[in-house]
Amino acid sequence: MSKPIYVINGPNLNLLGHREPEIYGHETLGDVERTCADLARHHQLELRFFQSNAEHELIDWIQEAREAAAGIIINPAAYSHTSIAILDALRACSFPVLEVHVSNIHQREPFRHHSHMSARADGVIVGCGTQGYELAVLRMARLLSAGR
Ligand code: DQA
């Protein structure tokens, strides 16, 4: 059995679909999980979904993924803009890392324009709504089938 892909979500993403729907849309994280799990299955991939509002939990899951996962899809939410600790945890991983932002962070407030994670990410998907997670699953399938 091949290793799963960890899909790790940061603070406030538990409120997806309810919080600022004009920015983040109406789909919940549960909807995203179901759609992505189906898509992943078509590509012989298994996903494990995580969400936490606590920085240390996100780091613990990234460290767990180093052994347990084949890759990480991560939306670190507001920690993208602040957390060197999450960047360091991702840098300790040798498999593909894809970063997702539901909104186009470059069209928003200046403090959202820079993500520390992008220095490590193998790909960054921004501004595609919750479909960004599906695009990340497709990209992950391609990277893994190419042996990277
Ligand atoms: C976000 C963008 C971040 O700036 C914000 O803090 C979030 C969500 C996105 O998915 O668009 O919580 O990562």
Side-chain angles (χ1 to χ4, degrees), residues 19 21-22 41-42 51 53 60 64 69-70 102-103 126 128 134:
R19 153 204 191 210
E22 66 287 359
R41 220 170 290 122
H42 270 85
Q51 190 280 326
N53 297 325
D60 287 345
E64 180 185 304
V102 175
S103 65
V126 301
C128 297
E134 297 169 50

Side-chain angles (χ1 to χ4, degrees), residues 115-144:
S115 166
H116 293 295
M117 311 306 143
S118 303
R120 165 61 184 89
D122 297 292
V124 183
I125 297 161
V126 301
C128 297
T130 49
Q131 189 190 10
Y133 288 90
E134 297 169 50
L135 299 173
V137 169
L138 291 176
R139 181 65 184 159
M140 185 62 74
R142 174 71 63 89
L143 289 173
L144 294 177

Side-chain angles (χ1 to χ4, degrees), residues 11-13 19 24 75-81 100-105 108 112 133:
N12 300 306
L13 289 169
R19 153 204 191 210
Y24 298 112
N75 182 348
Y79 288 135
S80 313
H81 317 300
V100 173
H101 297 284
V102 175
S103 65
N104 183 349
I105 54 176
R108 300 183 63 194
R112 294 185 203 274
Y133 288 90

